[in-house]
Amino acid sequence: MTSFPVPTMPAPPVGVVGLGQLGGSLAAALAAAGREVTGWDVDPAAREAAAARGVRIARELRGVVVLAVPLPAMAAALDGLDVDPDATVTDLGSVKAPVLAELGPALGGRYVGGHPMCGTERSGHEATDPGLFTGARWALCLEPGTELPRWLRVAEVALAVGAEVVPATAAEHDDAVAAVSHVPHLLAAALAAAAGEAGPLALALAAGSFRDGTRVIGSDPDFVTAMVQGNAGPTAAALARVLEQLARPWPELVAAGHAVRAGSPAGRRPVRVPLERAALLSLGRAGGAVSRRLAAFVEGYVPDR
């Protein structure tokens, strides 16, 4: 039986810069899968923890280099490291257009923006989980200047750790995650702050709905602030749509929200997509994802409605 995924050439090594929750989890998952992976972090404790999980620690990086550092540190993440000038560079940042504007001029088509939709409110190398990416959606940006062979190499890294790849442009990604990730962080903050103003009795009676609605604001405040400010325009537009919804009569609002949740796709319809930018982006825009790489095309699915 053909192995998964089918590469067109030997899989390149992977270098991971930043070994906190996301980077440490990625490096550990790749090491467990038998991929050649090298990691680096400015924190000696993070390096030691990754090494204990089978990750080679070094400053020399080649193949696919993954930047798993906070957004404010992205531009300087490779300073002091020996990076192969032909390496493909990707990142795990939660905002894509600003990173593209920052890294794109120097890296050109070698840069492929990425964002795995996973993680928890925990942070640091102590939160490493090699299974973190299993079943997760991983957005990979296809811009007009993106070199498709490099995009596919990054996609193979995501597939190797169990993720499903969603093709998108940076602008499309930022608009989408503003609605489903960045605004929820702000709403969680507002809900927690309002409950705090309601007093000790309210907090003492808080149960599952409050816990679920405020979970994400347990994340590092600096991380959340950098995320929403880095995507300020799309986040403000998405928040405005939420405020419009809250202004509706409550029965209408409850019914409309319930209908969206109840109308989730019943299943998935398998598709094959050629290795071509427009076709891949169409897959992502339809709500689909890539689940397998073959030599001449990719396999994936779209929602079966």
Side-chain angles (χ1 to χ4, degrees), residues 59-303:
R59 294 175 180 268
E60 297 78 28
L61 307 173
R62 58 194 181 92
V64 176
V65 176
V66 184
L67 307 183
V69 299
L71 291 171
M74 202 72 73
L78 297 178
D79 291 356
L81 301 179
D82 182 6
V83 180
D84 185 337
D86 191 47
T88 297
V89 179
T90 186
D91 73 296
L92 307 183
S94 56
V95 179
K96 297 275 64 80
V99 180
L100 174 63
E102 204 162 34
L103 302 183
L107 297 173
R110 294 198 296 123
Y111 170 67
V112 180
H115 180 205
M117 299 298 294
C118 58
T120 70
E121 67 276 13
R122 299 171 62 211
S123 61
H125 66 86
E126 299 91 347
T128 292
D129 175 9
L132 185 66
F133 303 97
T134 302
R137 293 292 191 90
W138 190 316
L140 278 186
C141 295
L142 260 175
E143 308 303 320
T146 304
E147 297 177 19
L148 186 57
R150 295 182 184 274
W151 186 91
L152 291 167
R153 277 312 189 197
V154 180
E156 289 172 1
V157 172
L159 294 172
V161 295
E164 298 172 339
V165 174
V166 179
T169 67
E172 289 171 339
H173 166 276
D174 289 357
D175 284 343
V177 297
V180 299
S181 176
H182 301 173
V183 162
H185 276 82
L186 293 177
L187 294 179
L191 180 60
E197 291 178 352
L201 175 60
L203 294 175
L205 294 174
S209 59
F210 181 78
R211 180 190 64 242
D212 295 344
T214 59
R215 178 187 62 81
V216 294
I217 205 56
S219 303
D220 180 355
D222 290 338
F223 165 80
V224 176
T225 299
M227 178 178 67
V228 296
Q229 289 184 340
N231 199 29
T235 300
L239 185 59
R241 293 195 297 271
V242 172
L243 295 175
E244 289 176 1
Q245 292 291 334
L246 290 172
R248 299 174 68 178
W250 292 345
E252 288 184 16
L253 173 59
V254 171
H258 178 78
V260 171
R261 290 291 292 168
S264 297
R268 298 175 170 184
R269 177 166 55 85
V271 294
R272 285 186 171 183
V273 179
L275 302 182
E276 192 270 327
R277 180 175 180 273
L280 289 165
L281 288 175
S282 293
L283 175 68
R285 290 164 184 160
V290 174
S291 56
R292 188 180 187 195
R293 162 79 197 280
L294 296 175
F297 53 86
V298 294
E299 291 182 339
Y301 63 86
V302 293

Side-chain angles (χ1 to χ4, degrees), residues 17-20 39-51 57 59 69 123-126:
V17 182
L19 297 170
W40 182 259
D41 196 293
V42 295
D43 180 4
R47 298 197 299 266
E48 292 174 7
I57 303 300
R59 294 175 180 268
V69 299
S123 61
H125 66 86
E126 299 91 347

